[in-house]
Amino acid sequence: TQSSVSSGINAEYGDDSLDEMIQNQQITPLAKQQVLTHFDKAMSTTLSQRGKNKVTFKGCIKMYRYCDNVWTFIMTNTEFRDTNDGFHADIVKIVACDGTKPPGEK
C-alpha cells in the first residue's frame, strides 16, 4: 500500500472543505476521492525526493492504535524540530503505514 499522507495532513481541513463542496454540489464524491488520491501521490513523491531532513518531535500521546499495518497517534502539545527550525502544534494526528507494495502489485 502507498503511504497515506492525506489522513495526517489534510483530513482535518481539506476533507472538510471537500465535503462542503459536495454538499454545495460543486464537486462529486468521485472528484473528492480523486483529489485526495492525487494529493497522496504528490506528497509521497515530494517527500521522497525532497524530505531528507531529520525531524524530531516530542509531545503527549493521548491515543494510539495499530490496525491493518497502520499506526495512528493523536498527540497534544507537540514540539517539532529539525536542524534549523522548530514549531509547536496543539493537536497532531500522525498516521503511518507500510509504504511497500504487496507482492505482485505494480
Side-chain angles (χ1 to χ4, degrees):
T1 59
Q2 173 181 314
S3 297
S4 179
V5 177
S6 66
S7 297
I9 294 178
N10 73 339
E12 293 298 318
Y13 305 104
D15 203 39
D16 290 344
S17 298
L18 293 171
D19 286 340
E20 185 177 322
M21 292 176 77
I22 290 171
Q23 289 176 351
N24 293 333
Q25 298 180 344
Q26 294 173 306
I27 64 171
T28 65
L30 178 60
K32 172 190 172 181
Q33 188 57 45
Q34 290 172 337
V35 167
L36 293 176
T37 299
H38 179 74
F39 180 85
D40 279 353
K41 288 179 182 179
M43 286 299 293
S44 181
T45 299
T46 301
L47 289 173
S48 69
Q49 292 173 353
R50 299 184 188 178
K52 303 300 180 193
N53 288 355
K54 180 179 177 181
V55 176
T56 59
F57 58 93
K58 181 179 179 180
C60 181
I61 296 175
K62 292 297 182 183
M63 190 277 305
Y64 66 93
R65 176 179 55 219
Y66 181 74
C67 181
D68 295 331
N69 292 327
V70 178
W71 280 100
T72 303
F73 297 91
I74 303 292
M75 299 177 67
T76 59
N77 197 27
T78 307
E79 293 287 332
F80 290 86
R81 298 229 172 258
D82 69 4
T83 54
N84 300 320
D85 268 329
F87 67 92
H88 175 268
D90 292 331
I91 299 174
V92 176
K93 179 179 181 180
I94 298 173
V95 178
C97 30
D98 186 357
T100 60
K101 293 181 181 179
E105 188 177 305
K106 291 185 177 185

